Amino acid sequence: MIGKFWESVGGKLADRWAGTAGPALVFWAGGLLAWLLGHGGWDRLADLGSWLQRQSAAGQVAVLLALLLGVATSGAVVGWAVEGTLRLIEGYLPRPFAFLRPLLLRWTRRSARRVLTELQELAGEVAEGRAAAEQRARFQHLDRRRRDWPSQSDRYMPTRVGNILRAGESRPVDKYGLDPVAVWPHMWLLLPGQAREDLMAARAALDGGVAGFLWGLLFSAFTVWTPWALPVSAAVVTMTCCFLLPARARTFADLVEAAIDLYRSDLYKQLRWPLPADPVAERASGRLLTKYLVRGADAPDRAFTTPGNP
């Protein structure tokens, strides 16, 4: 995963505050509501308001600053945990839970085989024009789902989000021989401003989805005050994992792939690497270029082009 690169692509402090303060405020507002439900309802809120009014101006400011500090700190902690949580959601399990990986991979392979089998069964009908409208719609749906898995089963990840991101990384390898993990820092420097902004926005949306998952998980702690906190937590976690995160991971993966589709020739030119003549030659050339960027080259596999020439 090229997540390590994105760790270094930071935003402005105000942008980060805006991105973390909103969810943190919603979380703590929900916590306050849970506390009220478990401690007498709205009458306790009036008691809190009365207590705050009895404090001096300095005391009220101190309370406000403490609340803001708590919101900011909790947002920072969740933001810090996003990267590690995303890796867990992708299926990079820590050693104590490594035994789950083969089980999850077996389920992933079974799901992929089921989709591919049905897709192949419908492909003939669709290609020959004999498919009904429902069959064509089903074929299109399955074809979209097929993109959620890498082309090779040995690249499968244990989770849906992990497979979507791994598939996005694998497609440039299949098409061009270019490994995004190796070439992405170089590609990033060549992208125009709008492409960078779109990619950063997609990555921020993905990270925001992971943060939403964490906030939903943490909300279950308020069950000590009201049992309603548990179904709310379960609903947020389920909706995030089943719908929000896969959709945002797919958008991010598609944009990374599109960036390589559109700007890989700039990478060749800037590295003075000969442009391939056809798609078959490009896969071989891309593999050599990836190897060159990772380890360099001791043998004259390719002669550099002269500046300004393809």
Side-chain angles (χ1 to χ4, degrees), residues 110-121 138 141-143 145-146 149:
R110 187 162 55 244
S111 298
R113 280 197 302 269
R114 186 165 56 248
V115 169
L116 291 174
T117 299
E118 187 176 356
L119 189 63
Q120 290 170 357
E121 292 173 352
R138 179 64 177 170
H141 170 72
L142 293 174
D143 194 45
R145 285 196 62 189
R146 180 183 58 83
W149 288 289

Side-chain angles (χ1 to χ4, degrees), residues 14-253:
D15 295 336
R16 289 188 175 183
W17 163 254
T20 60
L25 285 171
V26 171
F27 173 81
W28 289 112
L32 175 61
L33 179 60
W35 183 82
L36 291 174
L37 290 174
H39 293 81
W42 296 107
D43 292 340
R44 292 305 301 271
L45 185 61
D47 294 341
L48 288 175
S50 299
W51 174 84
L52 185 61
Q53 289 178 351
R54 292 195 298 270
Q55 306 306 309
S56 64
Q60 292 177 2
V61 171
V63 170
L64 178 61
L65 289 176
L67 291 175
L68 291 176
L69 181 61
V71 170
T73 301
S74 61
V77 170
V78 168
W80 172 81
V82 161
E83 183 211 348
T85 304
L86 179 57
R87 288 188 62 81
L88 288 175
I89 292 173
E90 287 182 78
Y92 295 100
L93 302 176
R95 184 172 300 177
F97 301 97
F99 70 94
L100 293 174
R101 184 180 177 88
L103 300 176
L104 293 171
L105 283 173
R106 190 176 304 122
W107 179 83
T108 295
R109 291 190 179 98
R110 187 162 55 244
S111 298
R113 280 197 302 269
R114 186 165 56 248
V115 169
L116 291 174
T117 299
E118 187 176 356
L119 189 63
Q120 290 170 357
E121 292 173 352
L122 290 172
E125 300 288 331
V126 172
E128 296 173 7
R130 293 184 285 106
E134 296 81 3
Q135 290 177 308
R136 290 195 299 270
R138 179 64 177 170
F139 178 83
Q140 292 172 356
H141 170 72
L142 293 174
D143 194 45
R144 286 193 298 268
R145 285 196 62 189
R146 180 183 58 83
R147 285 178 55 85
D148 289 347
W149 288 289
S151 58
Q152 305 296 324
S153 61
D154 59 354
R155 300 176 186 169
Y156 284 174
M157 294 294 292
T159 68
R160 185 181 180 188
V161 171
N163 278 303
I164 290 171
L165 293 174
R166 176 64 65 83
E169 295 174 8
S170 299
R171 286 191 290 271
V173 178
D174 298 333
K175 292 188 293 185
Y176 313 123
L178 293 172
D179 184 355
V181 176
V183 308
W184 187 251
H186 308 79
M187 286 289 305
W188 178 259
L189 295 176
L190 300 174
L191 296 180
Q194 186 60 54
R196 290 192 191 187
E197 291 178 8
D198 291 342
L199 281 160
M200 291 178 67
R203 177 65 193 211
L206 177 59
D207 288 347
V210 176
F213 166 82
L214 285 172
W215 287 121
L217 197 63
L218 291 171
F219 199 83
S220 62
F222 297 137
T223 307
V224 298
W225 293 327
T226 175
W228 287 104
L230 188 58
V232 170
S233 172
V236 171
V237 169
T238 301
M239 293 293 291
T240 302
C241 286
C242 294
F243 301 103
L244 184 64
L245 280 177
R248 293 186 176 182
R250 193 176 294 112
T251 298
F252 177 68

Side-chain angles (χ1 to χ4, degrees), residues 235-288:
V236 171
V237 169
T238 301
M239 293 293 291
T240 302
C241 286
C242 294
F243 301 103
L244 184 64
L245 280 177
R248 293 186 176 182
R250 193 176 294 112
T251 298
F252 177 68
D254 287 345
L255 284 176
V256 170
E257 180 187 4
I260 296 176
D261 289 342
L262 295 175
Y263 301 106
R264 68 189 188 282
S265 61
D266 294 337
L267 180 68
Y268 277 85
K269 293 175 182 178
Q270 290 296 323
L271 292 172
R272 297 176 56 203
W273 204 259
L275 287 172
D278 56 68
V280 176
E282 182 170 14
R283 282 192 286 272
S285 183
R287 286 192 291 269
L288 285 174

